[in-house]
């Protein structure tokens, strides 16, 4: 079944993915396309409406991204957000200028007054906070448009030509700071575009399963399972589609958290697939023996991972398709930027070139992370897999500072488990995006009973973040930190001191290595 679709036309704003996520949360499928995409291609996607994103430019600046003016002749609704709103004005006969004084330049939370006769604000409060971030302002509103919202500084916070289905807002309805922002997007979708809300994970699951079956036919499929959310959900989906034609190779490098390997294996019991767990702990530890330099650790683990996977794949023989757990943010971001390499991330989903196969299947390619989780639930994967926090490919090796031994890893595993358990007991799991223990390589003097100890210092790390590119350290309540500390020093041998990492990213990174 083809879904109704809205196209989010990307003009370079920082919240573009967020807009797309909000649309999908409202039960409408959407895709993000660059503003340079040919109009013919966009038309061929058969959308029910467009959303123009914000962007860093001024519409009148030379070389500023422009919309193809023909887009306004398609008879299709458009919602312009921030820069997108100014584009509407600019193209349809209005005038946009730089705010000459600070009074018309707005940034941050702004008290806003709405005309609820406008379809965009239908059923919502007439007054509320909206999140502004614009330096330009609409000096002249285009013919046919009316003003539908204002703030103290700005008379035209929202404009619309309801007859043509054109709406523009100067603020960002997609960010949480805007009260009822998602409701405004929902109004645009349902009241203006006539959406029916046909994007559900149940539907997606059925469609994806059918497509995978059609594509694979009687072929054989191989998947590298890391135990992370994406590869697990991809595996479950393909398992549901083609059962025993699928082989999942789970390379257990011995650097997982407590019980994690068994949890992954157990979750896949219910499918009749070929599940290979390559217990390679000894191999990995041998290769890592005496290695202390973080990048060397990462390289060794990445290479060894591929070697083990390759050996297992050879045993299977002919393979037609390789499944990868690529998700939509990777697709949108790929090709963008050439930032400095801070850490060489090795992603076990991204296995390339050395196994002979016909084609790669990426069944999650169009899904956001929260949708991947929802799909995982549809497929009845256990919550401990579906809700799993991000875990780096090199695993505990980069949380065990200095050289790695089995004993140190076991110490770290126990401490990390207690930390996670206490976070869960305190009901804080959802407010902490990533949290874990790090076994530092430092030892210090302590006293236990009447004896002197000389043992390791354990660091606790927790971050709150939406994109993992920047992160703040989590303000964990002292009582929770205290419980974690008391339990760890009492229950885990060789740790006599606990510290809490209070650096944000930047300047620190989330992981310690
Ligand atoms: P950093 O430490 O760079 O981490 O702030 C950002 C996010 O990436 C995760 N991470 C990795 N993920 N392979 C991965 O798949 C890796 O090698 C790797 N190193 C870091 C980290 O856990 C955090 O979520």
């Amino acid at each position: 079944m083809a879904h109704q679709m809205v196209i989010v036309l990307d003009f370079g704003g920082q919240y573009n993915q967020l807009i797309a996520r909000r649309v999908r949360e409202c039960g409408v499928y959407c895709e993000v396309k660059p503003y340079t995409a040919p109009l013919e291609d966009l038309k061929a996607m058969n959308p029910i409406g467009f959303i123009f994103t914000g962007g860093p430019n001024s519409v009148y600046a030379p070389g500023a991204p422009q919309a193809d003016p023909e887009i306004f002749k398609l008879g299709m609704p458009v919602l312009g957000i921030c820069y997108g709103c100014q584009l509407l004005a600019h193209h349809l006969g209005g005038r946009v200028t730089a705010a000459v004084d600070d009074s018309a330049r707005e940034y941050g939370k702004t008290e806003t007054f709405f005309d609820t006769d406008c379809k965009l604000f239908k059923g919502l409060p007439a007054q509320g906070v909206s999140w502004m971030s614009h330096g330009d302002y609409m000096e002249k509103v285009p013919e046919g448009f009316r003003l539908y919202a204002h703030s103290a500084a700005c008379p035209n916070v929202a404009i619309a030509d309801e007859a043509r289905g054109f709406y523009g807002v100067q603020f960002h309805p997609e960010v949480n700071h805007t009260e009822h922002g998602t409701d405004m997007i929902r109004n645009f979708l349902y009241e203006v575009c006539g959406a029916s809300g046909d994007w559900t994970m149940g539907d997606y699951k059925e469609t994806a399963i059918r497509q995978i079956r059609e594509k694979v036919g009687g072929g054989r499929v191989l998947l590298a399972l890391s135990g992370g959310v994406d590869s697990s959900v991809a595996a479950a989906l393909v398992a549901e589609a083609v059962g025993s034609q699928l082989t999942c190779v789970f390379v257990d490098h011995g650097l997982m958290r407590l019980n994690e390997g068994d949890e992954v294996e157990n979750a896949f019991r219910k499918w009749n697939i070929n599940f290979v767990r390559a217990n390679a702990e000894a191999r990995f530890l041998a290769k890592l023996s005496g290695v202390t330099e973080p990048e060397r650790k990462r390289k060794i683990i990445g290479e060894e991972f591929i070697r083990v996977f390759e050996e297992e794949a050879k045993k299977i023989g002919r393979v037609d398709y390789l499944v990868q757990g690529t998700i939509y943010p990777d697709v949108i971001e790929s090709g963008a930027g050439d930032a400095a390499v801070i850490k060489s991330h090795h992603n076990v989903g991204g296995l390339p070139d050395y196994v002979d196969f016909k084609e790669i299947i990426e069944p999650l390619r169009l899904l956001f992370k929260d949708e991947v989780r929802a799909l995982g639930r549809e497929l009845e994967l256990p919550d401990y897999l579906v809700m799993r926090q991000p875990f780096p490919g090199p695993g505990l090796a980069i949380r065990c500072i200095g050289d790695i031994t089995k004993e140190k890893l076991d110490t770290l595993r126990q401490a990390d488990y207690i930390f996670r358990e206490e976070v869960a007991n305190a009901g804080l799991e959802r407010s902490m995006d990533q949290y874990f223990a790090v076994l530092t390589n430092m030892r210090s003097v302590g006293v236990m009973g009447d004896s002197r100890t000389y043992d390791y210092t354990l660091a606790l790390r927790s971050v709150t973040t939406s994109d993992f590119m920047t992160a703040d350290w989590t303000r964990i309540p002292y009582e929770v930190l205290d419980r974690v500390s008391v339990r760890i020093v009492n229950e885990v041998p060789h740790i006599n001191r606990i510290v809490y990492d209070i650096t944000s990213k930047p300047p620190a990174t989330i992981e310690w290595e």
Side-chain angles (χ1 to χ4, degrees), residues 298 343 345-347 390 392-394 398 434 468 505 509-511:
R298 284 165 178 277
K343 299 175 186 183
H345 280 205
H346 115 112
N347 189 339
I398 56 167
Q434 196 173 5
F468 296 89
K505 171 186 180 177
T509 53
I510 295 172
E511 304 287 348

Side-chain angles (χ1 to χ4, degrees), residues 270-322:
K270 68 173 173 152
W271 284 285
N272 175 29
I273 59 172
N274 307 297
F275 189 97
V276 179
R277 178 170 176 178
N279 288 313
E281 181 184 42
R283 275 177 74 157
F284 277 86
L285 291 188
K287 286 270 178 212
L288 288 167
S289 169
V291 177
T292 57
E293 209 276 310
E295 280 299 286
R296 280 252 302 142
K297 286 183 184 175
R298 284 165 178 277
K299 287 245 150 52
I300 290 170
I301 294 165
E303 280 167 22
E304 196 60 14
F305 190 95
I306 289 179
R307 212 154 289 145
V308 176
F309 183 76
E310 193 172 24
E311 285 169 23
E312 294 301 330
K314 278 200 185 117
K315 287 186 204 157
I316 298 160
R318 181 182 65 91
V319 170
D320 303 293
Y321 298 93
L322 188 72

Side-chain angles (χ1 to χ4, degrees), residues 52 59 72 78 80 82-97 137-148 155-170:
F52 291 3
V59 284
F72 301 108
V78 177
C82 197
Y83 182 78
C85 172
Q86 288 152 16
L87 271 178
L88 277 178
H90 185 65
H91 280 281
L92 296 171
R95 195 165 47 243
V96 178
T97 51
Y137 113 108
M138 270 178 294
E139 193 179 64
K140 177 168 169 271
V141 171
E143 197 89 24
F145 278 73
R146 269 190 54 195
L147 306 180
Y148 284 104
N156 45 22
V157 167
I159 57 167
D161 178 344
E162 296 220 83
R164 286 191 286 173
F166 294 155
Y167 294 79
V169 291
Q170 296 274 16

Side-chain angles (χ1 to χ4, degrees), residues 53 57 89 98 127-128 250 265 285 308 434 479:
T53 74
N57 299 73
Q127 185 178 347
F250 169 42
E265 193 170 348
L285 291 188
V308 176
Q434 196 173 5
E479 313 80 69

